[in-house]
Amino acid sequence: MNHRAPAAAPLLLALVLLGAGCSGGVEGTPGAAGVRDPYFPGLGNAGYDVTHYGLELDVEPAADRLRGTATITARATQDLSAFHLDLAGLDVESATVEGKPAAVNRAGKELTIRPGGAVEDRLRKGRTFTTVVRYSGAPQTITDPDGSKEGWLRTADGAVALGEPTGSMAWFPGNHHPSDKATYDIEVTVPDPLTAVSNGQLVSRSTAGSRTSYHWRTAEPMASYLATVAVGRFTTQQSRTPDGIRLFTAVDPESAAASKDVLARIPDVLAWSAEKFGPYPFTSAGAVVERTGDSTYALETQNRPVFPGPPDTALLVHELAHQWFGNSVTPATWRDMWLNEGFATYAEWLWAADHDGVPVRESFDEAYEDDANWAFPPAAPPTAVELSDAPVYRRGAMVVHRLRLAIDDDKAFFALVRGWTKAHRHGNASTDDFTAYVEQETGQDLTGLWDAWLYGESRPPEEG
C-alpha cells in the first residue's frame, strides 16, 4: 500500500426479512458480529471460516449499477443457529443456506443469516456449508477519516474496487477481516468495449451480444481487502517470466507510454525480490495502471497491484514486495500492519542500494532525522486514523534495519527473512509471532531492540 488510511462506515439501521423462517430444529448459537480487531472491532465475523468465494458480478458503469451473486463456502467453527456477513450499502434480494431459503436481518453493514430447514440441516461445528446471496444496487465509495477513498471508485471509463482496510464489503458480502483468507473465483460481465480485470489468472472470456464475461481465479488464499475488480478501456498484455510466473498487465491507454519501461521491469523485480525474500508465493503477477486522477494511491491487490497512474520503479518495488509481506504473510489484525509496510519500505531501500548506489544506511539516516516518523510506535498506532501514517512505513523499515544490524551477518539476516515468509506462507501472523520467531531463530534476547524501536514512544539514540 502507498500511504492509505482506514475507513469508518456509518451504521444505518434497516431490516429486511427474506425467505422462510428458521424452524425449531436449528440448534446452536449465533456467530458473533466482529472479531474484536483492535481498530475495527465490528469487522469480520466469528463462528465460521470461509474457504471459497464464487462471485458473479454484472457491472453497468454508465448506470452505476452492480448486480451480484456471491456463493460462499465456509466451515462452521461452532454450532451455528445464525451467522453474520459484512455488506455495505447494496440491497439483498435473497439468501439461501445449503439451497434452502434463509432469513436475513440487516443492521447497517451487518447481515444476519438465519438458516431455515429441519433438524438435519443444522450447522454443526466442523460442517462445511454453502451460502448464496443475491444482491444489487449502486456500490458505495467509502471515505476514510483522512479523506482518502476506498470501496467502489468510479473512474473516467469504468470503476475500480480497492479494499484496504474495509472497502471490499462495498461490492460483495463476506467475512471481511484479514484473518479469514479464502480462494476466489470472480466472474465479471461488462459492456463492450470495456475489460474487467481481477486477481489471479484469467480462466475464460466469453461474449454474448454486446457484453463480455471475464472469469478470474485465485487459487492461493487471499484476504478480502486484497481482492479487486478494475473495469475500463485497458490495453492488456500477457507473458511469462523466465521461471514460469504468468504476467498480466492492464493499462489505461492514457498511461501506457509512461508506464511501459517500468512495467517491463516486473520480471527483474520479482527475481531480485525472490533472492531477498524467498520464492514468489503466487503463480501469477502483473499490474493494473489507471489513468492519473482515477484514484489517489497504489494498493497491493493480490497478484496484480493497482497504480493510480504510471508508477516509478520504487513504487513498483514496494507494491511487489507486498506480495510476500501482506499478501502471502497477512497480518493477524490491523495493528500488525507495520509488518506489511515496514518490510515493503525496506525493500525500496534495498533496491536503491543494489541499483541506484544509495546505501541502506543513507535511507535509514534520512528516515531517522524525519520527525514525522516518531509520532508513535509503528506497532501501536493510537487509533485507526493513524494506521497508515509515516511511522508504520518508515519507522517500520527502521525496525527491520536495526534487526539486521543486531544480527550483524547479512547472510543470516536474509536467511531469517526467507524463513519467515516460508513459515507463514499463505497464512496470518502477528507482531508477537514475528518477535518470537526472530528470537527463537537467532537465539538472541532482543527485548531492548523491540522496546526502543518497535514500541518506544521517543526517538532512541541512533547508535544505541
Side-chain angles (χ1 to χ4, degrees):
M1 184 177 65
N2 186 34
H3 195 66
R4 291 280 292 109
L11 288 179
L12 303 176
L13 190 61
L15 176 64
V16 180
L17 185 61
L18 300 169
C22 167
S23 78
V26 175
E27 298 179 357
T29 57
V35 295
R36 299 187 178 181
D37 185 272
Y39 300 109
F40 304 97
L43 189 64
N45 305 286
Y48 64 93
D49 287 325
V50 178
T51 58
H52 184 74
Y53 290 95
L55 304 178
E56 298 175 34
L57 309 176
D58 192 290
V59 180
E60 188 58 68
D64 194 22
R65 295 287 295 180
L66 180 153
R67 180 174 294 278
T69 299
T71 302
I72 304 168
T73 304
R75 182 181 59 84
T77 58
Q78 67 178 65
D79 291 349
L80 286 171
S81 61
F83 58 93
H84 293 263
L85 296 171
D86 304 316
L87 182 67
L90 295 164
D91 299 322
V92 176
E93 298 171 356
S94 67
T96 63
V97 177
E98 290 295 277
K100 298 181 179 180
V104 182
N105 292 344
R106 184 163 200 167
K109 59 181 174 51
E110 289 289 340
L111 303 181
T112 302
I113 310 293
R114 188 171 294 277
V119 172
E120 59 269 20
D121 299 319
R122 57 196 175 201
L123 302 184
R124 289 289 197 187
K125 180 178 179 179
R127 178 177 176 180
T128 296
F129 63 97
T130 299
T131 303
V132 178
V133 180
R134 292 178 171 82
Y135 58 99
S136 62
Q140 289 186 354
T141 296
I142 297 170
T143 302
D144 291 341
D146 70 346
S148 59
K149 297 182 184 299
E150 60 173 301
W152 193 263
L153 309 180
R154 282 75 183 173
T155 62
D157 57 359
V160 61
L162 301 177
E164 185 172 321
T166 68
S168 292
M169 68 174 71
W171 57 283
F172 69 96
N175 195 8
H176 290 292
H177 188 267
S179 60
D180 193 1
K181 301 169 73 170
T183 57
Y184 283 72
D185 279 274
I186 301 177
E187 185 172 344
V188 190
T189 301
V190 295
D192 297 333
L194 302 182
T195 300
V197 183
S198 188
N199 311 87
Q201 297 181 12
L202 182 61
V203 176
S204 65
R205 169 182 169 174
S206 60
T207 299
S210 61
R211 300 180 69 79
T212 300
S213 299
Y214 299 82
H215 180 181
W216 295 86
R217 176 169 296 156
T218 303
E220 301 92 357
M222 177 169 69
S224 64
Y225 80 90
L226 298 168
T228 189
V229 167
V231 175
R233 290 181 172 86
F234 293 114
T235 299
T236 64
Q237 184 173 352
Q238 299 185 61
S239 61
R240 286 181 184 262
T241 67
D243 51 355
I245 300 168
R246 296 185 181 184
L247 298 183
F248 187 102
T249 58
V251 184
D252 187 285
E254 290 192 7
S255 297
S259 301
K260 181 179 178 181
D261 290 344
V262 172
L263 295 184
R265 304 193 77 174
I266 290 176
D268 293 337
V269 174
L270 291 176
W272 173 86
S273 300
E275 291 181 1
K276 304 291 185 183
F277 311 135
Y280 182 67
F282 305 107
T283 56
S284 61
V288 176
V289 183
E290 296 283 359
R291 71 180 68 183
T292 302
D294 278 348
S295 63
T296 59
Y297 56 89
L299 188 64
E300 62 270 20
T301 44
Q302 190 156 305
N303 314 110
R304 195 155 293 112
V306 174
F307 297 97
D312 59 22
T313 302
L315 183 57
L316 180 70
V317 169
H318 183 103
E319 302 305 336
L320 290 182
H322 274 308
Q323 305 307 307
W324 284 262
F325 306 104
N327 296 14
S328 177
V329 185
T330 303
T333 75
W334 284 112
R335 180 171 287 162
D336 306 305
M337 191 168 128
W338 80 273
L339 287 167
N340 301 6
E341 302 300 346
F343 271 101
T345 303
Y346 197 64
E348 293 184 59
W349 296 1
L350 293 171
W351 180 273
D354 287 354
H355 296 85
D356 303 322
V358 180
V360 172
R361 182 55 187 251
E362 185 175 321
S363 298
F364 176 93
D365 287 346
E366 180 183 345
Y368 181 86
E369 295 299 328
D370 187 348
D371 291 343
N373 296 322
W374 302 99
F376 57 83
T383 70
V385 176
E386 294 85 16
L387 192 58
S388 293
D389 282 1
V392 175
Y393 289 69
R394 300 186 75 199
R395 188 171 165 190
M398 281 188 271
V399 173
V400 177
H401 190 61
R402 295 301 303 192
L403 174 60
R404 182 179 177 184
L405 295 178
I407 293 174
D408 197 26
D409 180 332
D410 275 1
K411 183 177 180 180
F413 169 76
F414 286 107
L416 181 80
V417 173
R418 290 190 295 268
W420 169 252
T421 62
K422 180 179 179 180
H424 295 279
R425 183 181 175 95
H426 300 316
N428 295 85
S430 67
T431 299
D432 286 346
D433 291 331
F434 179 72
T435 57
Y437 168 84
V438 168
E439 295 196 354
Q440 179 178 340
E441 293 297 312
T442 63
Q444 297 186 49
D445 180 354
L446 297 171
T447 302
L449 189 157
W450 312 133
D451 287 348
W453 294 90
L454 188 55
Y455 292 105
E457 296 287 347
S458 59
R459 182 166 12 203
E462 187 171 359
E463 298 301 333

